[in-house]
Amino acid sequence: MKTDEALDFVRAVQPEQAYRIHDGQINTRGLGSLSCRIADACGGCYCWLPPGSSAR
C-alpha cells in the first residue's frame, strides 16, 4: 500500500489511534519525514512505535 493510500484509509476510518508497520527498510531520515507527514495528515491519531515496542 502506498503512503497516500494508507492516509486515505485512516481519514475514512477515523480511528482513535493509528500505527505504521513494516517500515524496516526506511532509513532514519525517511522515518522522521514520513512520521511528521503522517501525523499531520491523520489529525493526531498517528504514533510511531520504535522496533521492539508495543502499542499496549
Side-chain angles (χ1 to χ4, degrees), residues 1 5-18 42 45:
M1 176 182 294
E5 293 169 343
L7 294 176
D8 289 343
F9 177 78
V10 170
R11 288 183 193 117
V13 174
Q14 298 180 352
E16 290 182 25
Q17 195 65 49
C42 291
C45 72

Side-chain angles (χ1 to χ4, degrees), residues 3-4 6-8 10-11 15-20 30-49:
T3 299
D4 288 335
L7 294 176
D8 289 343
V10 170
R11 288 183 193 117
E16 290 182 25
Q17 195 65 49
Y19 303 95
R20 187 176 75 235
L31 283 172
S33 175
L34 191 56
S35 291
C36 288
R37 180 175 172 216
I38 293 171
D40 289 344
C42 291
C45 72
Y46 167 76
C47 180
W48 179 71
L49 295 175

